[in-house]
Amino acid sequence: MQDTVIWDRVREARKGPRPAHTLDDIARAAISVGDANGVEAVSIRAVAAQLGAGAASLYRYISRKDDLYDLMVDSVAAEYELPSVPSGEWEADVVLVARRIRDVYRRHPWMAELAPHASWGPNTQDYMEFFLAALEPTGLGHVERIEFIGLMSAWIATFTQLVQQPAATGAGRLRHFASIAADPARPQLAQAIVALMRADPSSSSPDQLFERGLHRLIHGIAG
Amino acid sequence: MQDTVIWDRVREARKGPRPAHTLDDIARAAISVGDANGVEAVSIRAVAAQLGAGAASLYRYISRKDDLYDLMVDSVAAEYELPSVPSGEWEADVVLVARRIRDVYRRHPWMAELAPHASWGPNTQDYMEFFLAALEPTGLGHVERIEFIGLMSAWIATFTQLVQQPAATGAGRLRHFASIAADPARPQLAQAIVALMRADPSSSSPDQLFERGLHRLIHGIAG
DNA sequence: CTTTACTGAGAACATCGTTCGCGGTAAAGT
DNA sequence: ACTTTACCGCGAACGATGTTCTCAGTAAAG
């Protein structure tokens, strides 16, 4: 079973010593490493060390490094804490879900990178089930609803990285932005960067930007 | 200058032998490797080999591996081949740009992964300048327009991976999907997966799905 | 013709994901 | 009771990676 998704693993030990850790333990360890030092620090060895285990031991529980990512994403998906049943007001539900996702992405910045590629674990499935049901009153088909869910997640991910944490772009990036802003050959882009750079003293806090972006996502760019 | 974006590099050799390659050569080599074997195959050594050079030699031209990605993305951004001036019909322009991006992502699947993280090279800047100008008639502010551009790119990326190339998800993933579809605990999700799986015999080809998704992106989910 | 500044690139280093194989342990088979 | 079986943790090793060091070669500047 080398190409099996981790959720299909059947784990029922009959003989030998009982495993020293659970998948939840491993997920927690990986999450704490990711929160503290970023995704790129989430290595097999680092997570194993966090668990107080040897590196090779992890392969008793997972079969690929991607399984680690899957565990992290689905474990954190439990933090959405959505109601079990939609309210019936689909727009309010969409706003609710969006805000929860934003909060979680802010708490765990690596989600923006890992979530799109992750397989669908139980918590993720619960979240999608809720979202699909919430979108039922729109009259959209299932494929369209899935698409919208992906669209909204992708938007929140890029929004989090672009607006919420622009300082993460590094010194060289900032210098490059400045040179673009000073280039008269592309006036629209120059203006846009100037508008992006100043941390919105007047018209728009990040939260306001988020709400308005969300409104545009629902009602369209012209609405 | 270790943290400098590659586009800020000043390259004007005064002494010694002239460089054996150009940044364009390197970009082309990296692109051909990525097209043929996927992003994960784009290694320093592989690109150097494609160039007929030694691995360490690449560091005479780039200073980080990410520079390679930046080169790839911006080089391919030239393929958009947009008009120099928007038509004045912003919606038509948006549709035009979206289709061009989709075509390029289809030709170079790694773009979906690399483009979001890449720095803005000259061709990317040209593309954004056009897009920003095209969106001017909407009355949106510059930040909102940037956001919409990011949103559309993100949507196309996920759409390309989800709808256009679902076979890339691997055997284990497909098996997992099937088990989700057979789980009565989450009926909405089950239906959605069934709808996703069958390659749209009746109502919707990928192209139609794209056009309708694009329409919803512009006019909102309810429109 | 010496100096200088750049070139390409082999060798080496640290780190990574992953596999092999070992000694140990506890339940199943007899 | 004891052998067998199937799992456990994990040190050691392998191959591949990004990056740096170093050095011989080369061509323009002084």
Side-chain angles (χ1 to χ4, degrees):
Chain A
M1 290 290 176
Q2 19 162 344
D3 73 330
T4 305
V5 167
I6 188 157
W7 316 111
D8 285 349
R9 264 201 170 202
V10 264
R11 172 156 292 280
E12 25 176 324
R14 323 220 144 298
K15 307 183 179 179
R18 286 169 57 258
H21 318 98
T22 68
L23 288 185
D24 274 348
D25 292 338
I26 296 177
R28 252 191 301 274
I31 289 171
S32 83
V33 171
D35 286 347
N37 303 93
V39 228
E40 69 279 357
V42 179
S43 66
I44 299 283
R45 284 171 174 84
V47 174
Q50 177 79 23
L51 272 170
S57 307
L58 276 194
Y59 285 91
R60 294 280 168 193
Y61 302 86
I62 64 176
S63 52
R64 258 167 275 105
K65 191 195 176 179
D66 286 7
D67 290 346
L68 249 187
Y69 293 151
D70 289 354
L71 287 175
M72 295 172 73
V73 170
D74 197 69
S75 177
V76 150
E79 299 183 14
Y80 292 151
E81 289 187 341
L82 300 168
S84 56
V85 165
S87 70
E89 282 276 355
W90 66 266
E91 189 166 339
D93 285 337
V94 169
V95 171
L96 174 71
V97 174
R99 289 187 186 142
R100 293 288 166 83
I101 295 183
R102 178 202 51 181
D103 293 343
V104 168
Y105 280 21
R106 199 152 38 185
R107 211 153 41 220
H108 309 287
W110 42 266
M111 276 291 278
E113 187 166 345
L114 298 190
H117 305 312
S119 68
W120 296 346
N123 293 321
T124 306
Q125 291 177 36
D126 283 342
Y127 145 71
M128 296 194 72
E129 179 72 13
F130 173 84
F131 210 161
L132 285 169
L135 288 176
E136 199 167 25
T138 60
L140 289 172
H142 283 94
V143 176
E144 279 90 347
R145 286 186 245 166
I146 290 268
E147 266 189 78
F148 179 76
I149 295 174
L151 174 62
M152 206 184 76
S153 311
W155 172 69
I156 297 176
T158 58
F159 180 89
T160 306
Q161 294 179 326
L162 186 68
V163 178
Q164 213 97 40
Q165 313 159 329
T169 44
R173 279 285 239 283
L174 289 183
R175 212 171 21 236
H176 187 230
F177 276 164
S179 82
I180 295 177
D183 185 354
R186 285 175 277 250
Q188 295 280 343
L189 188 54
Q191 268 189 267
I193 290 192
V194 169
L196 266 181
M197 289 309 235
R198 58 172 140 89
D200 314 298
S202 57
S203 62
S204 45
S205 73
D207 278 353
Q208 287 172 330
L209 267 178
F210 181 83
E211 296 296 332
R212 285 192 302 186
L214 184 55
H215 183 270
R216 262 195 313 283
L217 183 63
I218 296 173
H219 290 105
I221 180 178
Chain B
M1 290 293 174
Q2 22 161 339
D3 74 330
T4 304
V5 166
I6 190 158
W7 315 110
D8 285 349
R9 261 200 173 203
V10 267
R11 170 155 295 278
E12 25 176 325
R14 321 220 144 299
K15 306 184 178 180
R18 285 168 59 259
H21 318 97
T22 67
L23 288 184
D24 274 348
D25 292 338
I26 297 177
R28 254 191 299 274
I31 289 170
S32 84
V33 172
D35 286 346
N37 304 93
V39 229
E40 69 281 357
V42 180
S43 66
I44 299 282
R45 285 171 173 83
V47 173
Q50 177 80 20
L51 272 169
S57 308
L58 275 194
Y59 284 91
R60 293 284 165 191
Y61 303 86
I62 65 176
S63 51
R64 257 167 276 104
K65 193 194 174 179
D66 286 7
D67 290 346
L68 248 188
Y69 293 151
D70 290 353
L71 288 174
M72 295 172 72
V73 170
D74 197 69
S75 177
V76 151
E79 297 181 16
Y80 292 151
E81 289 186 340
L82 300 168
S84 55
V85 165
S87 69
E89 283 276 355
W90 68 264
E91 191 167 339
D93 286 335
V94 169
V95 172
L96 174 72
V97 174
R99 289 187 186 143
R100 292 289 165 83
I101 295 182
R102 178 201 51 180
D103 292 344
V104 168
Y105 280 21
R106 198 150 40 185
R107 213 155 38 223
H108 309 287
W110 41 266
M111 275 291 277
E113 187 165 346
L114 298 190
H117 304 311
S119 68
W120 295 347
N123 291 323
T124 306
Q125 291 177 36
D126 283 342
Y127 145 71
M128 295 194 72
E129 178 73 13
F130 172 85
F131 210 162
L132 284 168
L135 289 176
E136 199 167 24
T138 60
L140 289 173
H142 282 93
V143 175
E144 278 90 347
R145 285 186 246 166
I146 290 268
E147 266 189 80
F148 179 74
I149 294 174
L151 174 63
M152 205 184 76
S153 310
W155 172 68
I156 298 176
T158 58
F159 179 89
T160 306
Q161 295 181 326
L162 185 68
V163 178
Q164 213 96 41
Q165 312 159 330
T169 41
R173 278 284 239 284
L174 288 185
R175 208 170 24 234
H176 187 230
F177 276 163
S179 82
I180 294 178
D183 184 356
R186 285 175 276 250
Q188 295 281 341
L189 188 53
Q191 269 190 266
I193 289 192
V194 169
L196 267 179
M197 289 309 239
R198 58 170 137 90
D200 315 298
S202 57
S203 61
S204 46
S205 73
D207 278 352
Q208 287 172 329
L209 266 180
F210 181 83
E211 296 295 332
R212 285 191 303 185
L214 184 55
H215 184 271
R216 262 194 314 281
L217 184 63
I218 295 173
H219 291 105
I221 182 178

